[in-house]
Coordinates of all heavy atoms in Angstrom, one line a residue:
Chain B
F439 N -80.5 -186.5 63.5 CA -80.3 -185.1 64.0 C -79.9 -184.2 62.8 O -78.7 -183.8 62.8 CB -79.3 -185.0 65.1 CG -79.6 -185.9 66.3 CD1 -78.7 -186.6 67.0 CD2 -81.0 -185.9 66.8 CE1 -79.0 -187.3 68.1 CE2 -81.3 -186.6 67.9 CZ -80.3 -187.3 68.6
N440 N -80.8 -184.0 61.9 CA -80.4 -183.3 60.7 C -80.6 -181.8 60.8 O -80.6 -181.1 59.8 CB -81.1 -183.9 59.5 CG -82.6 -183.7 59.7 OD1 -83.1 -183.2 60.7 ND2 -83.4 -184.2 58.7
L441 N -80.5 -181.3 62.0 CA -80.7 -179.8 62.2 C -79.7 -179.0 61.4 O -79.9 -177.9 60.9 CB -80.7 -179.4 63.7 CG -81.9 -179.9 64.5 CD1 -81.7 -179.5 65.9 CD2 -83.2 -179.3 63.9
V442 N -78.5 -179.6 61.4 CA -77.4 -178.9 60.7 C -77.7 -178.6 59.3 O -77.3 -177.5 58.8 CB -76.1 -179.8 60.7 CG1 -74.9 -179.0 60.2 CG2 -75.8 -180.2 62.2
K443 N -78.5 -179.5 58.7 CA -78.8 -179.2 57.3 C -79.8 -178.2 57.0 O -80.0 -177.6 56.0 CB -79.2 -180.6 56.7 CG -78.1 -181.6 56.6 CD -78.3 -182.5 55.4 CE -77.3 -183.7 55.5 NZ -77.9 -184.8 56.3
L444 N -80.7 -178.0 58.0 CA -81.8 -177.1 57.8 C -81.3 -175.6 58.0 O -81.4 -175.1 59.1 CB -82.9 -177.3 58.9 CG -83.4 -178.8 58.9 CD1 -84.4 -179.0 60.0 CD2 -84.0 -179.2 57.6
K445 N -80.8 -175.1 57.0 CA -80.1 -173.8 57.0 C -80.9 -172.7 57.5 O -80.5 -171.8 58.3 CB -79.5 -173.4 55.7 CG -78.4 -174.4 55.3 CD -77.3 -173.7 54.5 CE -76.2 -174.6 54.1 NZ -76.6 -175.6 53.1
D446 N -82.2 -172.6 57.0 CA -82.9 -171.4 57.3 C -83.8 -171.5 58.6 O -84.4 -170.5 59.1 CB -83.9 -171.2 56.2 CG -83.1 -171.2 54.9 OD1 -82.0 -170.6 54.9 OD2 -83.6 -171.8 53.9
K447 N -83.8 -172.7 59.2 CA -84.6 -172.8 60.4 C -84.0 -172.1 61.6 O -82.8 -172.2 61.8 CB -84.8 -174.3 60.7 CG -86.0 -174.6 61.6 CD -86.1 -176.1 61.8 CE -86.9 -176.2 63.1 NZ -86.7 -177.5 63.7
T448 N -84.8 -171.4 62.3 CA -84.3 -170.8 63.5 C -84.4 -171.8 64.7 O -85.4 -172.5 64.8 CB -85.1 -169.6 64.0 OG1 -86.1 -169.3 63.0 CG2 -84.3 -168.4 64.2
L449 N -83.3 -171.9 65.4 CA -83.3 -172.9 66.4 C -83.6 -172.3 67.7 O -83.2 -171.2 68.0 CB -81.9 -173.5 66.5 CG -81.5 -174.4 65.4 CD1 -80.0 -174.9 65.5 CD2 -82.4 -175.6 65.3
S450 N -84.3 -172.9 68.6 CA -84.6 -172.4 69.9 C -83.4 -172.5 70.7 O -82.6 -173.5 70.6 CB -85.7 -173.1 70.5 OG -85.3 -174.4 71.0
L451 N -83.2 -171.6 71.6 CA -82.0 -171.6 72.5 C -82.2 -172.4 73.7 O -81.3 -172.6 74.5 CB -81.5 -170.2 72.8 CG -80.7 -169.6 71.6 CD1 -80.2 -168.2 72.1 CD2 -79.5 -170.5 71.3
T452 N -83.5 -172.8 74.0 CA -83.6 -173.6 75.2 C -83.0 -175.0 75.0 O -83.1 -175.6 73.9 CB -85.1 -173.8 75.5 OG1 -85.8 -174.0 74.2 CG2 -85.7 -172.7 76.2
P453 N -82.3 -175.5 76.0 CA -81.7 -176.8 75.9 C -82.6 -177.8 75.5 O -83.7 -177.9 76.1 CB -81.1 -177.0 77.3 CG -81.4 -175.8 78.1 CD -82.2 -174.8 77.3
V454 N -82.2 -178.7 74.6 CA -83.1 -179.8 74.1 C -83.1 -180.9 75.1 O -84.1 -181.5 75.4 CB -82.7 -180.2 72.8 CG1 -83.6 -181.3 72.2 CG2 -82.5 -179.0 71.8
D455 N -82.0 -181.1 75.7 CA -81.9 -182.3 76.6 C -81.0 -181.9 77.8 O -79.8 -181.8 77.6 CB -81.3 -183.5 75.8 CG -81.2 -184.7 76.7 OD1 -81.4 -184.5 78.0 OD2 -81.0 -185.8 76.2
K456 N -81.6 -181.6 78.9 CA -80.7 -181.1 80.0 C -79.8 -182.2 80.6 O -78.7 -181.8 81.0 CB -81.6 -180.6 81.1 CG -82.3 -179.3 80.8 CD -82.8 -178.6 82.1 CE -83.5 -177.3 81.8 NZ -84.9 -177.2 82.2
G457 N -80.2 -183.4 80.6 CA -79.4 -184.5 81.0 C -78.1 -184.6 80.3 O -77.1 -185.1 80.8
F458 N -78.2 -184.3 79.0 CA -77.1 -184.5 78.1 C -75.7 -183.9 78.6 O -74.7 -184.6 78.6 CB -77.5 -183.8 76.7 CG -76.4 -183.7 75.8 CD1 -75.6 -184.7 75.4 CD2 -76.2 -182.4 75.2 CE1 -74.6 -184.5 74.5 CE2 -75.2 -182.2 74.3 CZ -74.4 -183.2 73.9
V459 N -75.7 -182.6 79.0 CA -74.5 -182.0 79.4 C -74.0 -182.6 80.7 O -72.8 -182.8 80.9 CB -74.6 -180.5 79.4 CG1 -73.4 -179.8 80.1 CG2 -74.8 -180.0 78.0
G460 N -75.0 -183.1 81.5 CA -74.6 -183.8 82.7 C -73.7 -185.0 82.4 O -72.8 -185.3 83.1
E461 N -74.1 -185.7 81.3 CA -73.2 -186.9 80.9 C -71.8 -186.5 80.6 O -70.9 -187.2 80.7 CB -73.9 -187.5 79.7 CG -75.2 -188.2 80.0 CD -75.9 -188.7 78.8 OE1 -75.5 -189.7 78.2 OE2 -76.9 -188.1 78.4

Side-chain angles (χ1 to χ4, degrees):
Chain B
F439 297 140
N440 59 1
L441 290 179
V442 182
K443 293 211 191 89
L444 307 175
K445 293 217 179 65
D446 308 321
K447 200 178 156 203
T448 353
L449 292 174
S450 77
L451 277 183
T452 37
V454 185
D455 181 348
K456 285 198 181 122
F458 164 55
V459 170
E461 291 171 72

